[in-house]
Amino acid sequence: MTYTLTSHQYGKAENHIVRIYRDSPRHEIRDLTVTTAMRGAFEDAYLTGDQSKVLPTDTQKNTAFVYAKQHGGGTVEDYGVALAKHFVDDVEPIHGARVDVVVDDWERVVVDGEEHDHTWVRRGPENRTVTVTVDGKGEEQTVHVGGGIRNLVILKSTGSEFHDFLTDGFTTLEETKDRILATAIDATWGFAATPPDWDVAYAAVRAAVVGTFATLHSLALQQTLWHIGGAVLDAVPEIESISLVAPNKHHFLYDFSRYDTDQENAGEVFHADDRPYGLIEATVTR
Amino acid sequence: MTYTLTSHQYGKAENHIVRIYRDSPRHEIRDLTVTTAMRGAFEDAYLTGDQSKVLPTDTQKNTAFVYAKQHGGGTVEDYGVALAKHFVDDVEPIHGARVDVVVDDWERVVVDGEEHDHTWVRRGPENRTVTVTVDGKGEEQTVHVGGGIRNLVILKSTGSEFHDFLTDGFTTLEETKDRILATAIDATWGFAATPPDWDVAYAAVRAAVVGTFATLHSLALQQTLWHIGGAVLDAVPEIESISLVAPNKHHFLYDFSRYDTDQENAGEVFHADDRPYGLIEATVTR
Amino acid sequence: MTYTLTSHQYGKAENHIVRIYRDSPRHEIRDLTVTTAMRGAFEDAYLTGDQSKVLPTDTQKNTAFVYAKQHGGGTVEDYGVALAKHFVDDVEPIHGARVDVVVDDWERVVVDGEEHDHTWVRRGPENRTVTVTVDGKGEEQTVHVGGGIRNLVILKSTGSEFHDFLTDGFTTLEETKDRILATAIDATWGFAATPPDWDVAYAAVRAAVVGTFATLHSLALQQTLWHIGGAVLDAVPEIESISLVAPNKHHFLYDFSRYDTDQENAGEVFHADDRPYGLIEATVTR
Amino acid sequence: MTYTLTSHQYGKAENHIVRIYRDSPRHEIRDLTVTTAMRGAFEDAYLTGDQSKVLPTDTQKNTAFVYAKQHGGGTVEDYGVALAKHFVDDVEPIHGARVDVVVDDWERVVVDGEEHDHTWVRRGPENRTVTVTVDGKGEEQTVHVGGGIRNLVILKSTGSEFHDFLTDGFTTLEETKDRILATAIDATWGFAATPPDWDVAYAAVRAAVVGTFATLHSLALQQTLWHIGGAVLDAVPEIESISLVAPNKHHFLYDFSRYDTDQENAGEVFHADDRPYGLIEATVTR
């Protein structure tokens, strides 16, 4: 064949690593789902099946687990950078590595009014995410760290309008001055510089997202996303850009006028529909 | 055909009802997924296709939504009882009705240190459940209310052993005096009497489940379930029985001895496996 | 505590076992997800944490895999019976065992018009299921084999009516003489005697389900289920009873009259809705 | 704020449209999940909340359903092009539109040896996908059609090796000359020209994918993907590029040597693991 392998990468997806910190009786837990992806001089593996330059995904898995001990003492971002740099720095054919981490949150339980030393319950559905990309060797190496939040399901029961939109022959939607606005925010952001504290930066982003969604009187989910993006850039000066993907999770007011009832439905009872849903996307850059 | 219709029921599953309480600027939200199931004199619908005694599932849906307003002012249990009794009391061919409710939890957001009036984020993965069963008409009618918790994912990083088990020729499991114990508890319970406050009773059950899991030094998940059951019966005297189903979500210590590393893994790095999983079940009755 | 452990069982869920038969160049594949559950004298494991009578679920897993070789030469039912009997017959504290098997179907691929010797594609979404229950030891032992089909998604575009149903003040559903009828059948059945060939019996059940759904002019999903049950009992005389659970997967005719269009929608364009859905259940017994 | 809205789009996701063709007693069915996404002059909707240039996603939904009748007589690709062009050509602020279609496959049932006129069962898990992108107005307009296959789960029980790979201090994987190779192929491809028949082209792609996977003696999944890409380009000259994403769904030989058994496991019994999995990606271009 005379075709071209125009892009390629390979790695190990969804290593589910639970790290317990037990240096004191009060344990800590970190629950990471880690995906590694390698780019480099692997053309022969594709073209001829020659594996001599391929670090098996099984080895990547082993490394991800060992590094959870060896480089697990700092932040998740530190761990991701150490792991990605290892692949690029220590394995000759690897020219670039990407490490994606999804963090599952555990909440320490309270028993008889006191936080328990070594028991937690899972708290979701939202996840924090971290992405590290290392490209190149030696002096030319670049390291990029990105953050994210996934599936932040949020709803406001008022303070949302939608009207004066464009109409055509297929329009049936009625205008509204008061509706439920609900979404499940997926956001990712990139840093132009390292913030003083990764966890503080994450908390500031989340607070900006939630606070803006709550307090902005919304004329459309588009407008809400734009203001969320701006608030995040305001809150964390090291972030250079944020991308937002947000379904409009429709809550339809249930029409009581069709029934033999004296009940009125003044913005009180809604059918939360599954599909289809609006899908709004925006990237806001400093 | 001369066969027998030995059991039958029908209903509407998974009506996703969101109820907003907006009597004051501080709104409240209740998010219910409601399933209704009817039993009664519907044999003709099966045998001949005669629908004259069948209240369509579409009508059940409409009723579930209207009742969320009309009888939505009290507890979820009140709503379930009103809805189930309506079907049995007001629709002649219906002899029994079951209403299952799955409650999605929303947490009020905090903005600048203050709880927001009308914005929440979803909190999971656990759900509270309520089941109401109404059987019979008039004097002979019985009403049973059950509670439940679904997918309470909980983990302890120490305080769990497993050893001195039965062995045979297929045994390879090693004994352990210290392991992670993790599960996702599904529990359902029945009430012999109405508790003073349904929400207080639920909170007491959850606290008993979580507290026992945390504080009992576990020799097996079986033992933990038994003690959880007892603690729940202790905590809420109106509960007569509780059934527990709990997967043993295995966390395998990652074996570092196979690598060229000086890192040790003293109960610190685990692979959280998906399948297979242990599955332990118990019913504890007063 | 003075409460009672009124029921209990434990086992290993979802062992995903792929068995390859390679005695000839034309391989065969069997893909089984096997769950084992044990009942017996395990009270001490619950009450005191004494594991001396508990065969660990890890051992059950090992056994399920080895038996896939040792007893995997016959039908899935043979395998299930051998595995369940092993636990009860060979492990003293076990008084009863249940083995549930979900079979994933693989279809041999055709290359250049010829069936390939050792390559398949997954075919779903439906699964065949097998359940074996062994209770008691020695002379008193009973062995029950059940079959099932899960998630058989089936749709007919005409030949389905729904009208002359019971109405009340909440009724808004319109009657129809022609609609789409769609469901996802879950069926389980028990055998009073061993059929000559398990696979032939399964094929006969599936043909009866599909054929009845297709050819019966339906006045309601209830009626369809009753006739399916009868047809299955007609087709396989060893089956004594069949239970059917079937969602009514609603397909709503999209209303074109609201638009500026000359298009008509004469039973041609439907919105396939997700939730809520009707849920119809029936058990038909010989 | 002085930030920049660097990219944005919006639309309606997952319109589940079932189209029945009933011009003759032998009906046909087409089951489409349609997502629309618009690009254009919508900045004001983000920056000021002004909706005057926004065609609501509800209207997009209505249009997608009506077009399933009005432009549903040809191929799925024809439908997608008509729908995408409508948005760009007929709605002034829309400069570009993307229509993604996921096709669910239904297989006509056979009753008593004859294909039934109006009943089908769902066949999966794989889906065909179609993507249409229309950019620009009038003379400058470009129309791109892409095809795809999603979740083609395929397995070969022999004819796959993996050895002579790069090793380091974290390597524990053993070399193998005979293993199960299994994956779930996601492929997307773009056309440089319109093929004579879209359905024939799709069938040719699928045959090339399946045939190459089956017949190539594999030295790595990377090599298999490269040869699949080449075979697709060979099979359909109008395709200019194909991207493949393929998890390595690991099947681990179950180690019988640890048990008290005389059974050997000569490539016969495997544990099909869920996570982690290898993930291999490649794009092959003409």
Side-chain angles (χ1 to χ4, degrees):
Chain A
M1 285 179 285
T2 59
Y3 307 127
T4 307
L5 183 66
T6 42
S7 77
H8 57 94
Q9 68 174 13
Y10 80 103
K12 194 68 135 196
E14 300 192 37
N15 298 284
H16 193 172
I17 304 174
V18 171
R19 173 75 157 91
I20 304 296
Y21 300 85
R22 48 196 310 160
D23 308 310
S24 82
R26 183 179 166 96
H27 291 188
E28 301 288 342
I29 186 171
R30 188 175 284 168
D31 184 335
L32 309 178
T33 300
V34 179
T35 296
T36 57
M38 306 296 134
R39 291 182 297 280
F42 317 123
E43 289 81 1
D44 287 350
Y46 289 85
L47 273 60
T48 70
D50 176 356
Q51 303 303 310
S52 60
K53 294 185 176 169
V54 168
L55 189 75
T57 67
D58 186 80
T59 306
Q60 297 174 33
K61 174 184 69 171
N62 288 341
T63 312
F65 277 89
V66 173
Y67 268 56
K69 173 72 195 299
Q70 194 165 354
H71 299 272
T75 65
V76 175
E77 286 80 0
D78 294 336
Y79 164 75
V81 170
L83 185 60
K85 280 180 61 68
H86 159 69
F87 291 125
V88 178
D89 293 346
D90 299 345
V91 185
E92 195 280 328
I94 297 175
H95 301 160
R98 178 181 169 120
V99 173
D100 283 289
V101 184
V102 178
V103 184
D104 276 342
D105 190 23
W106 290 88
E107 181 178 72
R108 194 177 290 275
V109 304
V110 174
V111 181
D112 294 336
E114 301 225 347
E115 291 193 337
H116 195 264
D117 269 351
H118 57 257
T119 306
W120 302 264
V121 293
R122 271 281 289 126
R123 177 168 178 170
E126 74 191 65
N127 294 108
R128 178 177 175 181
T129 62
V130 173
T131 297
V132 175
T133 312
V134 172
D135 278 302
K137 310 249 184 188
E139 294 294 317
E140 315 226 325
Q141 190 171 75
T142 60
V143 177
H144 286 287
V145 177
I149 194 165
R150 181 186 290 182
N151 202 27
L152 172 64
V153 182
I154 190 165
L155 178 151
K156 63 193 303 183
S157 55
T158 189
S160 166
E161 313 184 7
F162 191 64
H163 50 79
D164 290 316
F165 41 74
L166 190 64
T167 60
D168 69 6
F170 295 107
T171 301
T172 54
L173 186 70
E174 294 185 15
E175 303 196 333
T176 177
K177 295 295 179 75
D178 190 11
R179 62 171 183 174
I180 284 182
L181 184 65
T183 186
I185 289 175
D186 282 354
T188 53
W189 52 87
F191 291 90
T194 300
D197 183 308
W198 292 111
D199 294 342
V200 169
Y202 179 79
V205 172
R206 190 184 185 283
V209 171
V210 168
T212 306
F213 185 90
T215 58
L216 180 77
H217 186 88
S218 177
L219 299 174
L221 187 48
Q222 284 90 326
Q223 184 210 22
T224 295
L225 293 190
W226 164 254
H227 282 268
I228 286 174
V232 168
L233 295 178
D234 282 348
V236 183
E238 294 84 3
I239 295 180
E240 63 181 339
S241 183
I242 177 170
S243 292
L244 296 144
V245 180
N248 192 341
K249 296 170 78 77
H250 305 304
H251 287 66
F252 296 115
L253 192 71
Y254 216 78
D255 179 6
F256 286 7
S257 70
R258 303 174 296 160
Y259 312 121
D260 178 20
T261 177
D262 57 359
Q263 299 293 316
E264 276 184 87
N265 188 6
E268 291 164 303
V269 180
F270 296 85
H271 166 56
D273 206 17
D274 297 305
R275 297 192 301 174
Y277 50 92
L279 190 61
I280 317 298
E281 303 176 50
T283 297
V284 183
T285 303
R286 192 177 299 277
Chain B
M1 285 179 285
T2 58
Y3 307 126
T4 308
L5 182 66
T6 42
S7 77
H8 56 94
Q9 68 174 12
Y10 80 103
K12 194 66 134 196
E14 300 192 37
N15 298 285
H16 193 172
I17 304 173
V18 171
R19 172 76 157 92
I20 303 297
Y21 300 84
R22 48 198 308 160
D23 308 309
S24 83
R26 183 179 165 94
H27 290 189
E28 302 287 341
I29 186 171
R30 188 175 285 168
D31 184 334
L32 309 178
T33 300
V34 179
T35 296
T36 57
M38 306 296 134
R39 291 182 298 280
F42 316 124
E43 288 82 1
D44 287 350
Y46 289 85
L47 272 61
T48 70
D50 175 357
Q51 303 302 311
S52 60
K53 294 184 175 170
V54 167
L55 188 76
T57 66
D58 186 79
T59 307
Q60 297 175 32
K61 174 184 69 172
N62 288 341
T63 311
F65 276 89
V66 174
Y67 268 55
K69 173 73 194 298
Q70 193 165 355
H71 298 273
T75 64
V76 176
E77 286 80 1
D78 294 337
Y79 164 74
V81 170
L83 185 59
K85 280 180 62 67
H86 159 69
F87 290 125
V88 178
D89 292 347
D90 300 345
V91 185
E92 194 281 328
I94 297 175
H95 301 161
R98 178 179 169 122
V99 173
D100 283 289
V101 184
V102 178
V103 184
D104 276 342
D105 190 24
W106 291 87
E107 181 178 71
R108 193 177 292 274
V109 306
V110 174
V111 182
D112 295 335
E114 301 225 347
E115 292 194 336
H116 196 264
D117 269 351
H118 57 258
T119 306
W120 302 264
V121 293
R122 270 282 287 126
R123 178 167 177 172
E126 74 191 65
N127 294 108
R128 178 178 176 180
T129 62
V130 173
T131 297
V132 175
T133 311
V134 172
D135 278 302
K137 312 250 184 186
E139 294 294 317
E140 314 226 326
Q141 189 171 76
T142 59
V143 177
H144 286 287
V145 177
I149 193 165
R150 181 186 288 182
N151 202 25
L152 172 64
V153 182
I154 190 165
L155 177 150
K156 62 193 303 181
S157 55
T158 189
S160 166
E161 312 183 8
F162 192 63
H163 51 79
D164 289 315
F165 40 75
L166 191 65
T167 60
D168 69 6
F170 295 107
T171 302
T172 53
L173 186 70
E174 293 185 16
E175 303 197 333
T176 177
K177 295 297 177 75
D178 190 11
R179 63 171 184 174
I180 284 182
L181 184 65
T183 186
I185 291 175
D186 281 356
T188 53
W189 51 88
F191 290 90
T194 300
D197 184 308
W198 290 110
D199 293 342
V200 169
Y202 179 78
V205 172
R206 191 184 184 283
V209 171
V210 168
T212 306
F213 185 90
T215 57
L216 180 78
H217 186 87
S218 177
L219 300 174
L221 187 48
Q222 283 91 325
Q223 184 211 21
T224 295
L225 294 190
W226 164 254
H227 282 268
I228 285 174
V232 168
L233 296 178
D234 283 349
V236 184
E238 294 84 5
I239 295 180
E240 64 181 338
S241 184
I242 178 170
S243 292
L244 297 144
V245 179
N248 192 340
K249 295 169 78 78
H250 305 304
H251 287 67
F252 296 116
L253 191 72
Y254 216 77
D255 179 7
F256 286 8
S257 70
R258 304 175 296 161
Y259 312 121
D260 178 20
T261 177
D262 57 358
Q263 298 294 314
E264 276 183 88
N265 188 4
E268 292 163 304
V269 180
F270 297 85
H271 166 56
D273 205 17
D274 297 305
R275 296 192 302 173
Y277 50 90
L279 190 60
I280 318 296
E281 303 177 48
T283 297
V284 183
T285 303
R286 193 175 298 276
Chain C
M1 284 178 285
T2 59
Y3 307 127
T4 307
L5 182 67
T6 42
S7 77
H8 57 93
Q9 68 174 13
Y10 80 103
K12 193 69 136 196
E14 299 192 37
N15 298 283
H16 193 172
I17 303 173
V18 171
R19 173 74 157 93
I20 303 297
Y21 300 84
R22 48 196 311 160
D23 309 309
S24 83
R26 184 180 166 95
H27 290 189
E28 301 288 340
I29 186 171
R30 187 176 284 169
D31 184 335
L32 309 178
T33 300
V34 178
T35 296
T36 57
M38 305 296 133
R39 291 183 298 280
F42 316 124
E43 289 81 1
D44 287 350
Y46 289 86
L47 274 59
T48 70
D50 175 357
Q51 303 303 309
S52 61
K53 293 185 175 171
V54 167
L55 189 75
T57 67
D58 187 79
T59 306
Q60 297 174 32
K61 174 184 71 171
N62 288 341
T63 312
F65 276 89
V66 173
Y67 268 56
K69 172 72 194 298
Q70 194 165 354
H71 298 273
T75 64
V76 175
E77 287 81 0
D78 294 337
Y79 164 75
V81 169
L83 185 60
K85 279 181 62 67
H86 159 70
F87 291 124
V88 178
D89 292 346
D90 300 346
V91 185
E92 195 279 329
I94 297 175
H95 301 161
R98 178 179 168 121
V99 173
D100 283 290
V101 184
V102 178
V103 184
D104 275 342
D105 191 23
W106 290 88
E107 181 178 72
R108 193 177 291 274
V109 306
V110 173
V111 181
D112 294 336
E114 301 224 347
E115 292 193 336
H116 196 265
D117 269 352
H118 57 257
T119 306
W120 302 263
V121 293
R122 270 282 287 126
R123 178 168 178 171
E126 74 190 64
N127 294 109
R128 178 178 175 180
T129 63
V130 173
T131 298
V132 175
T133 312
V134 171
D135 278 302
K137 310 248 184 188
E139 294 294 317
E140 314 224 326
Q141 189 172 76
T142 60
V143 177
H144 285 287
V145 177
I149 194 164
R150 181 186 290 182
N151 202 25
L152 171 64
V153 182
I154 190 164
L155 178 152
K156 62 193 304 182
S157 55
T158 190
S160 166
E161 312 184 6
F162 191 63
H163 51 79
D164 291 315
F165 40 75
L166 191 64
T167 60
D168 68 7
F170 295 108
T171 302
T172 53
L173 186 70
E174 294 185 14
E175 303 197 332
T176 177
K177 295 297 179 74
D178 190 12
R179 63 171 184 174
I180 284 182
L181 183 65
T183 187
I185 290 175
D186 281 356
T188 53
W189 51 88
F191 290 91
T194 300
D197 184 306
W198 292 111
D199 294 342
V200 169
Y202 179 79
V205 171
R206 190 184 185 283
V209 171
V210 168
T212 305
F213 186 91
T215 58
L216 180 78
H217 186 88
S218 177
L219 299 174
L221 186 48
Q222 283 91 325
Q223 183 209 24
T224 295
L225 293 190
W226 163 255
H227 283 268
I228 285 174
V232 168
L233 295 178
D234 282 348
V236 182
E238 294 84 5
I239 294 180
E240 62 181 341
S241 184
I242 178 169
S243 291
L244 296 144
V245 179
N248 192 341
K249 295 170 78 77
H250 305 304
H251 287 67
F252 296 114
L253 191 71
Y254 215 78
D255 179 6
F256 285 8
S257 70
R258 304 175 296 162
Y259 312 121
D260 177 21
T261 177
D262 58 358
Q263 299 293 315
E264 277 183 85
N265 187 5
E268 292 162 303
V269 180
F270 297 85
H271 166 55
D273 206 17
D274 297 306
R275 296 192 302 173
Y277 49 91
L279 189 60
I280 317 296
E281 304 176 49
T283 298
V284 183
T285 304
R286 192 176 298 278
Chain D
M1 285 177 286
T2 59
Y3 307 126
T4 308
L5 181 67
T6 42
S7 77
H8 57 93
Q9 68 174 10
Y10 80 104
K12 194 68 136 196
E14 300 192 36
N15 297 284
H16 193 172
I17 304 173
V18 171
R19 172 76 157 90
I20 303 297
Y21 300 84
R22 47 198 309 161
D23 309 309
S24 82
R26 184 180 167 94
H27 291 188
E28 301 288 342
I29 186 171
R30 188 175 284 167
D31 184 336
L32 309 178
T33 301
V34 179
T35 297
T36 58
M38 306 296 133
R39 292 182 297 282
F42 317 124
E43 288 81 2
D44 286 349
Y46 289 85
L47 273 61
T48 70
D50 175 356
Q51 303 303 310
S52 61
K53 294 185 176 170
V54 168
L55 188 75
T57 67
D58 186 79
T59 306
Q60 297 175 32
K61 174 184 70 171
N62 288 341
T63 312
F65 276 89
V66 173
Y67 268 55
K69 172 72 195 298
Q70 193 165 354
H71 299 272
T75 64
V76 175
E77 286 80 1
D78 294 337
Y79 164 75
V81 170
L83 185 59
K85 279 181 63 67
H86 159 69
F87 291 125
V88 177
D89 292 347
D90 299 346
V91 185
E92 194 282 327
I94 296 175
H95 302 161
R98 178 180 169 120
V99 173
D100 283 289
V101 184
V102 178
V103 184
D104 276 342
D105 190 24
W106 291 87
E107 181 178 71
R108 193 177 291 275
V109 305
V110 174
V111 181
D112 295 335
E114 301 224 347
E115 291 192 336
H116 196 263
D117 268 353
H118 57 258
T119 307
W120 302 263
V121 293
R122 270 281 289 125
R123 177 167 177 169
E126 75 191 64
N127 294 108
R128 178 177 174 179
T129 63
V130 173
T131 298
V132 175
T133 312
V134 172
D135 278 303
K137 311 249 185 188
E139 294 294 316
E140 315 226 326
Q141 189 172 76
T142 60
V143 177
H144 286 287
V145 177
I149 193 165
R150 181 186 290 181
N151 202 25
L152 172 64
V153 182
I154 190 165
L155 177 151
K156 62 193 303 182
S157 55
T158 190
S160 167
E161 312 184 8
F162 192 63
H163 51 80
D164 291 315
F165 40 75
L166 190 65
T167 60
D168 68 7
F170 295 108
T171 302
T172 54
L173 186 70
E174 294 185 13
E175 304 197 331
T176 176
K177 295 296 178 74
D178 190 11
R179 62 172 184 174
I180 284 182
L181 184 65
T183 186
I185 290 175
D186 281 355
T188 54
W189 51 89
F191 291 91
T194 300
D197 184 306
W198 292 110
D199 294 341
V200 169
Y202 179 78
V205 172
R206 190 184 185 283
V209 171
V210 168
T212 305
F213 185 91
T215 59
L216 180 77
H217 185 87
S218 177
L219 298 174
L221 186 48
Q222 283 91 326
Q223 184 209 23
T224 295
L225 293 190
W226 164 254
H227 283 268
I228 285 174
V232 167
L233 295 179
D234 283 349
V236 183
E238 293 84 5
I239 295 179
E240 63 182 340
S241 183
I242 177 169
S243 292
L244 296 143
V245 178
N248 192 342
K249 296 169 76 76
H250 305 304
H251 287 67
F252 296 115
L253 191 71
Y254 216 77
D255 179 6
F256 286 7
S257 71
R258 304 174 296 161
Y259 312 121
D260 178 20
T261 177
D262 57 358
Q263 298 293 315
E264 277 184 85
N265 188 5
E268 292 163 303
V269 179
F270 297 85
H271 166 56
D273 206 17
D274 297 306
R275 296 192 302 174
Y277 49 92
L279 189 60
I280 318 296
E281 304 177 48
T283 298
V284 183
T285 303
R286 193 176 296 279

